[in-house]
Amino acid sequence: MRTGGSDSFFIYTFGCQMNQADSGIISALLQQEGYRPAESDETAGIILLNTCAVRENAVDRIEHYLQHLQGLKKRNKDLIVGVAGCVPQFQKEEMFSISPAIDFLAGPDTYRSLPSLIEQVRSGAKQASLEFNAAETYEGIDPLREGSISAFVPVMRGCNNMCAFCVVPFTRGRERSHPFSSVIGEVRKLVASGYREITLLGQNVNSYRDAEEGRDFAALLDAVSREAPQARVRFTTSHPKDISEALVQAIAARPNICNHIHLPVQSGSSRMLALMNRGHTIEEYREKIALIRSVISGVALSTDIIAGFCGEREEDHKMTLELLADVRFDSAFMFFYSTRPGTLAARTFEDDVPEVVKKRRLQEIIDLQNSVSAELYQQAIGSSVEVLAESDSRRSSEQLMGRTPGNRVVVFDRKGFQPGDLVQVLITSATSATLVGRPEES
Ligand code: SF4
């Protein structure tokens, strides 16, 4: 264990599952160097913000949290605060001007340098390590994971697409895939530790390509499902242009690969998809949906939608509503567009849809999607679904919360079951976001 100064650290994670997985890598790297996790930011000697730049409100939340840390620093002069992840990668040294609380910055490819950054800050100077490293996959690091039921396994990092609204190519750099053998090795360890669900992660998992043998994501997914036959296998996120027939066939063929695909569409209008530089038309997207539905029985689909992207007209918005009504996604992440500095859109287009119009369009999208979800969930009443119990339900310890293979949330009577159990549940009622039921008699 380290001596001198405080050796305890606390990580506050903003953003997506990829960032949660990265926080596990950061924890492992710090613990290898003798640092230990703190219970809370109040008791830590080092506080690390692992940040996300994708949404404007995430950046606002980071600034708010930094104000809180400034208060903590007044009480503890030795407290060290670092900002890691996408925001400092993007804002570079300008980040220091946001808050005097910040002592060091680290980008998504420089987490291995965190222990030396902390040491250098202790010797008195603010530090930044923001280089891209197109070879970095953090191979050989065993991430520390919260919980013992579900585990994230990153299989690739970065993105080579240039969607006009997105900062990821500028914050996480070029695509690189983890070696096939190291993903399988990690899955083997998770199986031995009793994990019941494994989610393969990447910004665009469909473009996974093993550098050694050239195997693709369909081959990886198939191999992972065979390595972990008792666990559920999921993956996210997919790009519509890269969904292959081989991948769809692999999902259909393997019983433990969950029949759920998150397939972001962003808009129902081909004109908008071209402006967004998505690399496909809406007809091609609909063809992919038809392929998926024809091969994977009972598949659940979810998506992402952006309302009010630059140049969006009323007829484009109507096409998005038509798409939602036609496809009937199980669920959707829905946002109105806000400019992310440095992106292709910020450099090329005027953010010309008035905010009041964006908000109105978003509300129409949300209202429609909620009514579709509610109908789909009502239709599930009376059916029997397999649920992986994850935790006590928020309302009562007499109930458990879990998910179906299609990723629907189910709350059900505990009846002696524990988190980690697979339970066959009869659905008795539903809201637009949750199914409610009771275990079937066996
Ligand atoms: S596919 Fe597009 S939206 Fe997704 S991470 Fe890459 S650039 Fe961003």
Side-chain angles (χ1 to χ4, degrees):
M1 208 49 81
R2 303 184 75 82
T3 54
S6 174
D7 58 6
S8 61
F9 69 89
F10 181 82
I11 302 175
Y12 196 116
T13 307
F14 297 83
C16 63
Q17 293 161 327
M18 201 68 191
N19 263 20
Q20 288 176 38
D22 274 5
S23 290
I25 291 170
I26 293 170
S27 286
L29 283 162
L30 291 177
Q31 291 202 41
Q32 272 176 19
E33 291 294 314
Y35 294 96
R36 57 187 166 76
E39 292 279 312
S40 73
D41 55 4
E42 301 276 340
T43 57
I46 303 155
I47 298 173
L48 205 57
L49 288 70
N50 188 12
T51 62
C52 169
V54 170
R55 308 255 172 249
E56 198 172 21
N57 68 356
V59 180
D60 292 346
R61 282 171 50 225
I62 291 159
E63 292 184 10
H64 194 249
Y65 186 57
L66 282 165
Q67 284 170 13
H68 162 68
L69 295 185
Q70 225 170 306
L72 287 186
K73 273 197 140 185
K74 284 199 184 119
R75 300 211 301 271
N76 175 4
K77 299 272 183 260
D78 295 327
L79 178 64
I80 292 176
V81 172
V83 184
C86 291
V87 173
Q89 186 65 55
F90 188 66
Q91 300 204 346
K92 307 264 186 289
E93 279 79 357
E94 277 176 32
M95 190 83 210
F96 285 120
S97 63
I98 290 178
S99 166
I102 302 171
D103 295 304
F104 69 87
L105 307 173
D109 287 346
T110 64
Y111 299 148
R112 288 183 201 266
S113 66
L114 285 170
S116 70
L117 284 172
I118 293 167
E119 286 305 308
Q120 287 164 35
V121 168
R122 285 204 167 121
S123 348
K126 290 191 187 263
Q127 299 290 330
S129 178
L130 298 166
E131 305 76 35
F132 281 113
N133 177 356
E136 181 60 274
T137 60
Y138 296 105
E139 202 192 342
I141 307 292
D142 251 345
L144 292 177
R145 296 187 162 88
E146 285 178 14
S148 55
I149 298 169
S150 299
F152 296 132
V153 177
V155 301
M156 48 98 61
R157 299 176 73 83
C159 184
N160 288 354
N161 293 316
M162 262 306 161
C163 300
F165 50 81
C166 184
V167 287
V168 166
F170 306 97
T171 59
R172 288 187 168 265
R174 307 288 295 167
E175 267 172 25
R176 79 242 36 178
S177 296
H178 292 220
F180 200 94
S181 53
S182 92
V183 175
I184 298 299
E186 194 169 344
V187 168
R188 203 168 285 151
K189 282 189 211 156
L190 294 170
V191 170
S193 305
Y195 279 89
R196 306 302 314 275
E197 184 175 70
I198 292 166
T199 302
L200 305 183
L201 285 185
Q203 250 76 41
N204 178 16
V205 285
N206 311 135
S207 60
Y208 174 88
R209 188 66 63 171
D210 173 38
E212 287 160 7
E213 297 175 47
R215 282 179 286 189
D216 64 7
F217 187 64
L220 181 73
L221 190 62
D222 180 76
V224 166
S225 77
R226 289 172 197 276
E227 197 63 48
Q230 304 304 325
R232 284 181 171 181
V233 178
R234 299 184 182 278
F235 61 93
T236 197
T237 285
S238 300
H239 193 294
K241 73 178 168 44
D242 297 323
I243 284 264
S244 67
E245 181 149 6
L247 176 64
V248 176
Q249 295 290 357
I251 299 167
R254 297 289 309 154
N256 61 328
I257 301 177
C258 290
N259 58 354
H260 169 233
I261 300 181
H262 183 68
L263 200 58
V265 66
Q266 313 298 0
S267 170
S269 153
S270 290
R271 194 180 73 83
M272 295 313 298
L273 293 176
L275 287 173
M276 290 175 172
N277 201 30
R278 288 287 286 169
H280 63 86
T281 63
I282 201 62
E283 290 72 27
E284 287 161 343
Y285 184 87
R286 285 175 183 266
E287 279 166 21
K288 291 282 165 101
I289 296 283
L291 166 72
I292 291 165
R293 286 197 161 142
S294 70
V295 177
I296 309 171
S297 83
V299 66
L301 295 162
S302 54
T303 197
D304 296 344
I305 302 281
I306 297 173
F309 183 69
C310 315
E312 187 184 75
R313 301 174 190 145
E314 210 53 34
E315 62 257 35
D316 300 307
H317 168 59
K318 291 219 160 63
M319 287 179 204
T320 300
L321 295 175
E322 277 167 27
L323 183 84
L324 293 178
D326 290 351
V327 176
R328 295 173 68 76
F329 295 99
D330 243 51
S331 61
F333 294 105
M334 299 161 282
F335 300 92
F336 67 81
Y337 174 70
S338 63
T339 310
R340 310 308 302 126
T343 54
L344 204 58
R347 284 181 276 130
T348 318
F349 303 128
E350 190 189 340
D351 181 10
D352 57 354
V353 179
E355 188 158 313
V356 61
V357 175
K358 287 181 187 172
K359 286 187 172 166
R360 191 256 303 155
R361 289 180 187 166
L362 175 63
Q363 196 55 52
E364 288 174 9
I365 288 167
I366 290 172
D367 290 346
L368 175 56
Q369 180 55 45
N370 283 352
S371 74
V372 169
S373 296
E375 279 173 34
L376 293 173
Y377 277 47
Q378 286 297 317
Q379 286 167 11
I381 295 173
S383 66
S384 172
V385 293
E386 185 197 72
V387 179
L388 174 60
E390 292 178 12
S391 62
D392 289 353
S393 102
R394 255 184 260 158
R395 292 221 179 119
S396 158
S397 58
E398 293 303 303
Q399 290 184 313
L400 290 171
M401 186 286 281
R403 281 170 209 272
T404 66
N407 214 31
R408 291 178 172 181
V409 172
V410 181
V411 173
F412 61 98
D413 301 337
R414 178 183 279 271
K415 295 257 173 83
F417 288 104
Q418 300 298 329
D421 289 341
L422 268 185
V423 187
Q424 205 62 37
V425 175
L426 179 70
I427 301 305
T428 53
S429 64
T431 69
S432 66
T434 309
L435 299 173
V436 181
R438 58 178 150 77
E440 288 197 307
E441 308 295 332
S442 51

